[in-house]
Structures are given as structure tokens and as C-alpha cells.
């Protein structure tokens, strides 16, 4: 229903109200004897006739070919009806003179501003004609009353025309805003269900209809959200979770979010994540396969060299031409390379083992002090002449495994220390370790002013068996990343060639 139809319906309703008020007033006049019987009968006749005209107007309005002419005839009839009432009841004493004002407002409501002015002029002319016909002698008081009445008609027409014009502009502006908001809501790639205070769906956008496979929105409107989405159950309060929804015998995984609005209204946001989650699962599966491939390649590379050495030594020992000293050297080589393989296997087992389920409260500040003191006593650390600083702010309790957290800190310190093995720089070498509690997390930062990591290697530093060191296995930082993730934490890397590297660990406090 557009604004014009609303105005016409309002006009019909007010017209019936005015007719009813005329009938009530006539009953009162009849009982009090204010008007003569002849005047009452004539007025009743005109009023009932107008009632039938109004009823006919209501039924014929939708069939009218030219609505503008049809409305003009009705307003003109209203002015004539008011004139007849005033003619019968007297121009100066009649209570129906105010009906002219209603007619002027009707004209302002149904037509542009000029319509109200024309209605005011017509009412003024008719009122003056009745006053002239019914007056034997016009006194100054009556002339002044007529002038005031006519002035009121014209003033009201101008004021009503201006107000209605502003109303129309406001309606147009609101209509444009509604159209814009409707277009924005329908263009969202997220389904939207607007609910009232009783959780009844009052608005549904195009995406929601597509997600729920509903062609006609009337199937959803007027129903409670529990009927539309029964898997939600009781949706009181805020809700945001992924649920499976049966859409035309197909299970779809949707992110369903409830957002509270003023006056206990709310809205449900639907986002179909089935394709996205399937794609993520496929990518994770491919990443796992790729990771297994890289792991197998790394293991083969690391084991091939010691196995080759052991095999060669065993072949030489199998001969009879080697002396005792040669046999001892080859035996020591076999033992050394076997121990190397054993260390590699142990590292792989630690890296591949599942996370420890049992967690205890661990003072991370104590772990940091122990690890820093341990690395300071290492001979290789003292030979490199590195200044090690530790700055810990207060007690830092976390829920985790103490041995695993110690391994994380040791690996980070050893990794920073080994960065200085072949790095020659005129500046003083240092490693700084800092820890603090911030925003519900424990943050540990291990930074150095070493050579930094080249750009082409930065995306691979946490990959198993990736290393740039001649004697490294490439499992240190990979193990750090795994343990931190198992503790629901995260690792951030920041590095710059020639300026150093900073590794930040964040764990839930």
C-alpha cells in the first residue's frame, strides 16, 4: 500500500466519522428543540444521502479510471454538503461551519498545495453566499465575523498545504531510505531473519530464503524462529555456533548468530559454511599429506648418511686385511653413527607423540630462570661471548606440562645462540628474554641481534627438517611450534636481515 492509498483510506474514515457526528448532533438538536422539525428532517435527509454517497465512493473508488477527477468530485461534494448543513442551520449560529476546515484539510491531504487554496476559496464564496441569502441586514459584527471566518479558511489552506507538502517530502525520504535498506539487506551474502519480542519472524532477506530453500517468504513470516529453525531449541540470549541444518534432505553446516536489538527484538544471522568447511578440510588433508611427504624426505635424508657410514665400516670390518687400530676406529664410527640415528629417532618420537592430556599449574617465570641459568653454563655459549638478559615481570602461572615448556624455552635459546656461530659483527652480541602478563595471556619474547633470517626461508622456519645449519636436524622450531599449539598458544616470528630475530610466544594465563 503506497502513501496515496493510505491518505485516501484516512479520508474515507474521517468522512464517515464526520457523518456520524452530524447524526449525533441532529439527535441532540431534536431532543432539545434547538432546531425546527422541518430543518431536522431536511438535515437528516441530506446526511443519509451523503452517507450513501460515501458508501458508494468506497466501493467505486478502486474501479475509477481517473482517480484524480473522482477525488475532486468527492471533495467538491463535501463542500456542498457542508454548505447545505450551514444553510439549514444558519450561517452565524451553525456548529457545522468547522466542517469547512475539515474539507480544506482533506483537499490538502489528497491534492497538491493549490488544492487546499481552491477549496478555501470555494468554501469562502459559498459561506459568503449563505450569509448574504440568510441575512436581512448585515451588521458590522456579522461582517467582521464573516471576514474572520474567510481569513481562517485561507490561512488554514496555506498552513495545511505547507504541512502536507513537508509530510510528503518526509514520506518520500523515508520511502527512499526503506528501499535502500531493503536493497542493502537483500544484497547481503548473510541470511537475516528479523524477530519481534516474541521470537516471531517479521522480516527475511533474499539470502535467507536461498539458504533455507524457501521460495515464498510467507512460509516463514509470522512463524516463530523455533518453527523455522527447530534445531536452535531455546534461542533466548546470544547464540553463535555452527549447527547442522536439514535443507531439502541435505545436511548443511551453518553459522547461526543471534544479535539482540532494542525493545527485546533480535535478529538471526545465517551463513552457510558447508562449502567453506569442506574446502578447509580438503586443504588440511592435502597439507597433512604434504607434511608426511616432507617428513619422509627429511627422515630419509638424515638417516641416509649415518647408515651409509655404518654400512661402509661394516664391509671393511668383514675383511681380514684390517689391523687392530683400523678395526677400533671403524667400530667407534659405527657406535657414533648409531647413536646419531638413535638421537634422530628419539627426536622424531617426541615430535610425533600426542599432546600430554594432564596439565598442571606451571610457574613460567621459574621455567625461564632455570633455562637461562642452564644455557649460561654451557661451554659453547661462553665461547661465543654473548650477553644474555632476562626480564620477567611478576609471577606467570600457566596450565601446561613443565618439561615441554622447558623444551620450548631451551630450543629458542639454543636457536638464538647458534645464530651467532658463524656471524661476525663489530657490535656486541646479545640475547634478550622478556616475559609479562597482558590481556589474559602470558607473553614470552626471545630476541637477538644476530644475522636474521633471509626472506626466502621465513615461511619454512617451522617446517620439520628445515635448517640452514650444517649440523642441525631442523626439528627444534618445529617442536616449539607443536608444543605451543598443544598448549592453545601461538608463535609469532619477526626478523630482519642484519638486524636480528624475535620470536614471541603467547600462552593462556
Amino acid at each position: 500500500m503506497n502513501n496515496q492509498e493510505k491518505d485516501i483510506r484516512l479520508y474515507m474514515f474521517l468522512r464517515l466519522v464526520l457523518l456520524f457526528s452530524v447524526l449525533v448532533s441532529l439527535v441532540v438538536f431534536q431532543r432539545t428543540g434547538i432546531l425546527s422539525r422541518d430543518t431536522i428532517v431536511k438535515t437528516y435527509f441530506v446526511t443519509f444521502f451523503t452517507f450513501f454517497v460515501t458508501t458508494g465512493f468506497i466501493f467505486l473508488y478502486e474501479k475509477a479510471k481517473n482517480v484524480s477527477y473522482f477525488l475532486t468530485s468527492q471533495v467538491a461534494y463535501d463542500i456542498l454538503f457542508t454548505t447545505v448543513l450551514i444553510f439549514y442551520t444558519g450561517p452565524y449560529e451553525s456548529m457545522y461551519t468547522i466542517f469547512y476546515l475539515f474539507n480544506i484539510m482533506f483537499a490538502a491531504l489528497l491534492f497538491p498545495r493549490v488544492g487546499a487554496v481552491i477549496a478555501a476559496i470555494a468554501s469562502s464564496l459559498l459561506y459568503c453566499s449563505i450569509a448574504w441569502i440568510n441575512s436581512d441586514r448585515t451588521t458590522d459584527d456579522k461582517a467582521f465575523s464573516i471576514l474572520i471566518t474567510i481569513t481562517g479558511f485561507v490561512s488554514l489552506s496555506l498552513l495545511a498545504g505547507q504541512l502536507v507538502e513537508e509530510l510528503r517530502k518526509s514520506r518520500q525520504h523515508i520511502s527512499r531510505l526503506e528501499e535502500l535498506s531493503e536493497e542493502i539487506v537483500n544484497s547481503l551474502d548473510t541470511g537475516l531473519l528479523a524477530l519481534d519480542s516474541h521470537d516471531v519472524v517479521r522480516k527475511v532477506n533474499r539470502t535467507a530464503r536461498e539458504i533455507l530453500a524457501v521460495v515464498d517468504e510467507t512460509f516463514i513470516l509470522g512463524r516463530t524462529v523455533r518453527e523455522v529453525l527447530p534445531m536452535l531449541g531455546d534461542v533466548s540470549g546470544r547464540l553463535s555456533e555452527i549447527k547442522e541444518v536439514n535443507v531439502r534432505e541435505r545436511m548443511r553446516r551453518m553459522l547461526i548468530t543471534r544479535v539482540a536489538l532494542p525493545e527485546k527484538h533480535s535478529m538471526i544471522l545465517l551463513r552457510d559454511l558447508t562449502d567453506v568447511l569442506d574446502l578447509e578440510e580438503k586443504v588440511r588433508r592435502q597439507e597433512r599429506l604434504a607434511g608426511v611427504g616432507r617428513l619422509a624426505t627429511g627422515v630419509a635424508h638424515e638417516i641416509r648418511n649415518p647408515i651409509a657410514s655404518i654400512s661402509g665400516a661394516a664391509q671393511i670390518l668383514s675383511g681380514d686385511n684390517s689391523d687392530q687400530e683400523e678395526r677400533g676406529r671403524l667400530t667407534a664410527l659405527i657406535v657414533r653413527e648409531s647413536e646419531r640415528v638413535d638421537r634422530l629417532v628419539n627426536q622424531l618420537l617426541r615430535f610425533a607423540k600426542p599432546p600430554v592430556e594432564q596439565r598442571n599449574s606451571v610457574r613460567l617465570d621459574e621455567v625461564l630462570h632455570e633455562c637461562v641459568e642452564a644455557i649460561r653454563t654451557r661451554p659453547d655459549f661462553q665461547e661465543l661471548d654473548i650477553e644474555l638478559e632476562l626480564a620477567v615481570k611478576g609471577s606467570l602461572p600457566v596450565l601446561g606440562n613443565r618439561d615441554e615448556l622447558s623444551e620450548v624455552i631451551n630450543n629458542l635459546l639454543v636457536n638464538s645462540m647458534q645464530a651467532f656461530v658463524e656471524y661476525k659483527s663489530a657490535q656486541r652480541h646479545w640475547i634478550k628474554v622478556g616475559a609479562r602478563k597482558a590481556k589474559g595471556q602470558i607473553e614470552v619474547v626471545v630476541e637477538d641481534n644476530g644475522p636474521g633470517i633471509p626472506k626466502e626461508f621465513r615461511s619454512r622456519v617451522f617446517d620439520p627438517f628445515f635448517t640452514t645449519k650444517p649440523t642441525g636436524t631442523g626439528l627444534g622450531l618445529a617442536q616449539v611450534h607443536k608444543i605451543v599449539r598443544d598448549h592453545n598458544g601461538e608463535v609469532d616470528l619477526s626478523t630482519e636481515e642484519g638486524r636480528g630475530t624475535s620470536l614471541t610466544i603467547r600462552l593462556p594465563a
Side-chain angles (χ1 to χ4, degrees):
M1 184 187 300
N2 56 33
N3 292 328
Q4 185 183 25
E5 291 178 347
K6 292 179 181 179
D7 293 340
I8 293 173
R9 290 180 182 272
L10 177 62
Y11 165 60
M12 295 176 185
F13 172 75
L14 294 177
R15 194 176 187 190
L16 291 174
V17 170
L18 290 178
L19 290 174
F20 179 75
S21 65
V22 172
L23 292 175
V24 172
S25 64
L26 290 176
V27 172
V28 174
F29 292 156
Q30 185 178 359
R31 292 187 177 183
T32 57
I34 295 177
L35 296 178
S36 64
R37 180 179 178 81
D38 183 58
T39 301
I40 293 291
V41 171
K42 293 178 180 178
T43 308
Y44 266 128
F45 174 78
V46 174
T47 303
F48 279 113
F49 180 77
T50 304
F51 176 79
F52 289 117
V53 170
T54 302
T55 306
F57 167 73
I58 294 174
F59 286 104
L60 295 176
Y61 160 66
E62 295 182 356
K63 297 181 180 180
K65 296 182 180 179
N66 194 316
V67 176
S68 178
Y69 289 155
F70 191 67
L71 293 176
T72 301
S73 64
Q74 297 306 309
V75 173
Y77 180 86
D78 290 341
I79 295 175
L80 291 175
F81 170 65
T82 303
T83 304
V84 172
L85 289 179
I86 297 174
F87 178 78
Y88 288 147
T89 56
Y92 304 110
E93 299 83 7
S94 178
M95 63 169 290
Y96 302 118
T97 306
I98 194 174
F99 283 17
Y100 277 131
L101 302 180
F102 290 117
N103 295 331
I104 293 171
M105 288 189 290
F106 291 158
L109 185 66
L110 299 175
F111 304 104
R113 187 181 306 178
V114 66
V117 177
I118 293 173
I121 294 174
S123 300
S124 300
L125 293 175
L126 291 172
Y127 182 75
C128 289
S129 300
I130 296 172
W132 180 75
I133 293 172
N134 288 349
S135 297
D136 297 332
R137 183 169 56 89
T138 302
T139 63
D140 293 339
D141 292 339
K142 292 180 179 180
F144 182 74
S145 176
I146 294 172
L147 179 61
I148 291 296
T149 303
I150 294 174
T151 303
F153 290 166
V154 176
S155 300
L156 178 64
S157 68
L158 296 175
L159 178 61
Q162 181 65 29
L163 292 177
V164 172
E165 189 68 24
E166 294 296 329
L167 176 62
R168 287 197 180 97
K169 291 181 180 179
S170 299
R171 282 177 169 178
Q172 292 175 357
H173 182 65
I174 293 173
S175 178
R176 287 195 296 269
L177 290 177
E178 289 178 347
E179 292 174 358
L180 178 61
S181 63
E182 183 79 11
E183 188 63 29
I184 291 174
V185 168
N186 282 324
S187 64
L188 294 175
D189 60 353
T190 300
L192 184 146
L193 301 175
L195 314 178
D196 62 13
S197 57
H198 302 289
D199 284 340
V200 175
V201 179
R202 297 304 181 190
K203 180 68 179 178
V204 55
N205 71 343
R206 185 186 303 123
T207 306
R209 295 196 299 270
E210 293 174 355
I211 290 177
L212 299 176
V214 175
V215 178
D216 188 2
E217 65 179 13
T218 57
F219 178 76
I220 297 178
L221 297 178
R223 302 175 64 189
T224 64
V225 69
R226 282 182 289 275
E227 293 175 321
V228 178
L229 299 171
M231 76 295 303
L232 291 184
D234 183 10
V235 293
S236 59
R238 184 174 178 84
L239 170 75
S240 183
E241 57 181 312
I242 295 178
K243 287 183 173 288
E244 289 192 348
V245 180
N246 190 342
V247 179
R248 290 190 176 180
E249 306 304 326
R250 292 185 61 193
M251 298 306 297
R252 310 292 293 178
R253 286 174 287 178
M254 296 186 188
L255 175 63
I256 302 178
T257 304
R258 182 187 179 108
V259 181
L261 298 175
E263 299 180 2
K264 297 184 179 181
H265 291 207
S266 60
M267 63 180 177
I268 299 291
L269 302 178
L270 305 175
R271 192 170 183 87
D272 191 346
L273 300 181
T274 306
D275 296 336
V276 175
L277 294 177
D278 289 345
L279 180 60
E280 288 181 353
E281 186 176 343
K282 182 178 179 181
V283 170
R284 283 196 297 268
R285 187 162 55 248
Q286 291 176 345
E287 288 179 347
R288 285 196 297 269
L289 292 176
V292 170
R294 290 194 298 268
L295 185 64
T297 303
V299 171
H301 176 74
E302 292 294 328
I303 292 181
R304 183 184 295 116
N305 291 334
I307 291 297
S309 300
I310 293 172
S311 176
Q315 290 177 5
I316 295 175
L317 286 174
S318 64
D320 296 332
N321 55 352
S322 57
D323 55 15
Q324 189 67 26
E325 181 180 352
E326 181 69 11
R327 286 176 175 272
R329 187 180 65 80
L330 293 175
T331 302
L333 174 64
I334 291 175
V335 172
R336 186 173 65 253
E337 294 300 322
S338 298
E339 291 176 348
R340 179 180 172 186
V341 173
D342 182 65
R343 286 196 303 273
L344 178 61
V345 170
N346 287 332
Q347 286 180 322
L348 282 173
L349 290 175
R350 288 202 307 274
F351 179 75
K353 73 177 182 179
V356 178
E357 297 294 335
Q358 186 176 1
R359 305 289 188 188
N360 301 312
S361 180
V362 179
R363 287 276 302 275
L364 193 57
D365 51 303
E366 294 179 355
V367 174
L368 288 170
H369 280 96
E370 293 173 0
C371 294
V372 167
E373 290 303 319
I375 199 170
R376 279 175 174 164
T377 60
R378 291 178 53 149
D380 51 349
F381 175 81
Q382 296 174 355
E383 291 175 0
L384 292 173
D385 189 22
I386 302 173
E387 183 176 338
L388 180 59
E389 299 179 12
L390 175 63
V392 179
K393 296 182 179 180
S395 175
L396 305 175
V398 297
L399 193 65
N401 182 274
R402 189 182 185 91
D403 293 336
E404 290 183 343
L405 293 175
S406 297
E407 183 178 356
V408 167
I409 304 302
N410 280 324
N411 281 338
L412 292 180
L413 291 173
V414 171
N415 191 73
S416 292
M417 181 191 73
Q418 291 177 348
F420 293 104
V421 172
E422 297 182 358
Y423 181 59
K424 305 300 181 182
S425 175
Q427 62 182 350
R428 177 178 57 87
H429 294 172
W430 52 259
I431 299 174
K432 296 180 180 179
V433 181
R436 65 190 181 98
K437 188 174 183 179
K439 298 180 180 179
Q441 289 184 319
I442 303 299
E443 188 176 273
V444 179
V445 181
V446 178
E447 58 180 330
D448 59 61
N449 64 340
I453 301 174
K455 291 183 179 180
E456 61 270 21
F457 297 150
R458 291 173 190 174
S459 61
R460 302 178 58 193
V461 293
F462 296 113
D463 291 349
F465 295 106
F466 174 76
T467 181
T468 58
K469 304 179 181 68
T471 59
T473 61
L475 287 175
L477 289 181
Q479 183 72 354
V480 167
H481 188 266
K482 178 182 180 297
I483 293 175
V484 172
R485 292 293 297 273
D486 291 342
H487 282 73
N488 299 318
E490 56 185 18
V491 184
D492 288 337
L493 171 69
S494 176
T495 184
E496 185 177 350
E497 289 190 66
R499 301 291 296 273
T501 301
S502 173
L503 274 161
T504 303
I505 295 174
R506 297 182 182 88
L507 297 171

